[in-house]
């Protein structure tokens, strides 16, 4: 049978060597670029769906490999159509970035290159399937760090070409939204469409109406810093370890503090919409740290002060998110009375204070609360495999790449800045998207589907 093997030594910044064993070895060098043909699979389900009988046959037997390399975690998983996780591997880069105070793209790229081939082999071994026995390969193509995304796309294309498998491009935030629908990764309940989704991560705060695969309408977003980004920056200012993200360290320190010690103002009190903002709160915390610590380095003597600041920041930050989510829930029910579930996902959803607060909001609004276990809130291969499987079942995939096309001249399409949905008319002008052209954003996923 055709197999795939990743070499032990890879120089990612210059090239990736891929060995195919099928009577001969083929080694190519790939480069990163930005062409669009890879995204034919983003069309609307109605324009790409197969016949009902054929689709049902696919549903019964589908097994999809998912690859996630959008930032600083290498995730690989195999999931079947019932939502069973057959195999999963997650390789963190916490130690790689610990000394930088944040994620270093080149270091992350190299770490993905070193880990990905072995992770794929291990996930397939856990699943007890060969690559040639899969039905498709799904891979995150955006948003994220371009260098890191390209590592996963190259690997996915190589596996798909070597084994003649369809390839499914996946939006990272859609994968977060859909993970709650996977049987083995769901929490207490699995949502049906339509549902309200709140996606909170290091770079995103999105409140969405999810109407179907690839069909999302935005009713709230961040106008500056996302909550996860604010957690990371405040953690860094407090002298906490931020390798792999400062959120968990700040959450742990806040448990020791008084959340009412410092009276930080809640952001955007005069704006009665669902958008969030954390830049002003972050600045207020910085000024407080400067006034209270007076430049002193972190120590046991000032730990209580730092804990009080952390707890006070977290209280206001989460209260702000809960208030905007409460309004989003009200608007969601008015826009579509058929909404019954609220999905909360993304890395910050692993924070217990955030989960508890938003669960109360969902209960008050009459929604069933759906939040994956913490290990499935952070980036992982399972969410990509499941999102890819949902798309694959609707025929939303590309044909297997030709081995001959994987050449030195091939461009790999990645989308570092890629919105998930379009702004709902109810919420007015999108203050974020006015600078869209300057920021080189790709058209939203929903917009791509409609255009197709």
């Amino acid at each position: 049978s055709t197999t795939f093997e990743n070499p032990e030594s890879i120089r990612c910044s210059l090239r990736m060597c891929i060995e195919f064993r099928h009577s001969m070895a083929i080694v190519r060098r790939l480069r990163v670029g930005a062409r669009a043909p890879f995204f034919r699979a983003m069309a609307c389900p109605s324009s790409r769906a197969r016949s009902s009988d054929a689709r049902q046959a696919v549903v019964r037997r589908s097994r999809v490999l998912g690859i996630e390399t959008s930032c600083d975690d290498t995730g690989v998983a195999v999931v079947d159509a019932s939502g069973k996780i057959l195999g999963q591997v997650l390789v963190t880069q916490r130690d790689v970035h610990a000394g930088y105070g944040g994620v270093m793209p080149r270091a992350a790229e190299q770490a993905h290159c070193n880990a990905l081939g072995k992770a794929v082999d291990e996930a397939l071994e856990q699943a007890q399937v060969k690559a040639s026995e899969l039905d498709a390969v799904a891979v995150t193509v955006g948003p994220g760090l371009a260098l890191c995304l390209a590592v996963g796309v190259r690997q996915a294309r190589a596996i798909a070409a070597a084994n003649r498998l369809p390839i499914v491009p996946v939006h990272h935030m859609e994968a977060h939204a859909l993970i709650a629908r996977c049987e083995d990764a769901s929490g207490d309940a699995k949502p049906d469409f339509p549902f309200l989704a709140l996606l909170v991560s290091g770079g995103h705060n999105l409140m969405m109406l999810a109407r179907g695969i690839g069909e999302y309408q935005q009713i709230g977003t961040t106008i500056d810093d996302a909550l996860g980004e604010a957690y990371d920056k405040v953690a860094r200012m407090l002298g906490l370890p931020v390798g792999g993200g400062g959120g968990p360290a700040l959450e742990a320190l806040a448990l020791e503090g008084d959340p009412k010690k410092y009276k930080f103002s809640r952001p955007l009190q005069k704006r009665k919409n669902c958008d969030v903002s954390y830049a002003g709160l972050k600045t207020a915390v910085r000024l407080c740290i400067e006034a209270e610590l007076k430049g002193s380095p972190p120590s046991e003597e000032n730990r209580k002060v730092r804990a009080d600041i952390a707890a006070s920041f977290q209280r206001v930050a989460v209260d702000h998110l809960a208030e905007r989510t409460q309004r989003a829930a009200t608007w969601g029910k008015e826009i579509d009375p058929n909404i019954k579930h609220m999905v909360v996902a993304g890395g910050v959803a692993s924070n217990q204070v955030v989960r508890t607060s938003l669960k109360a909001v969902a209960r008050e609004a009459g929604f069933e609360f759906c939040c994956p276990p913490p290990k499935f809130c952070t980036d992982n291969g399972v969410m990509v495999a499941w999102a890819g499987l949902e798309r694959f079942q609707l025929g939303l995939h590309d044909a297997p790449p030709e081995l001959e096309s994987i050449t030195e001249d091939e461009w790999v399409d990645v989308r570092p800045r890629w919105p998930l949905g379009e702004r709902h008319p109810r919420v007015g002008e999108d203050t974020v998207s006015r600078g869209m052209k300057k920021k080189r954003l790709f058209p939203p996923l929903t917009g791509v589907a409609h255009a197709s």
Side-chain angles (χ1 to χ4, degrees), residues 8 22 34 137 209 295 324 338 342 344 347 359 376 428 452:
E8 295 180 358
H22 187 65
V137 179
L209 297 179
R324 312 312 265 196
N338 294 317
M342 177 189 291
V344 177
K359 187 173 184 178
F376 293 120
S452 300

Side-chain angles (χ1 to χ4, degrees), residues 63 93 112 118 181 230 251 254-255 308 319 333 394 396:
R63 289 178 296 190
Q93 298 180 11
H112 284 306
K118 183 178 179 181
R181 289 166 53 84
E251 181 184 6
L255 292 173
D308 288 342
D319 284 352
K333 287 193 294 186
L394 294 173
L396 301 178

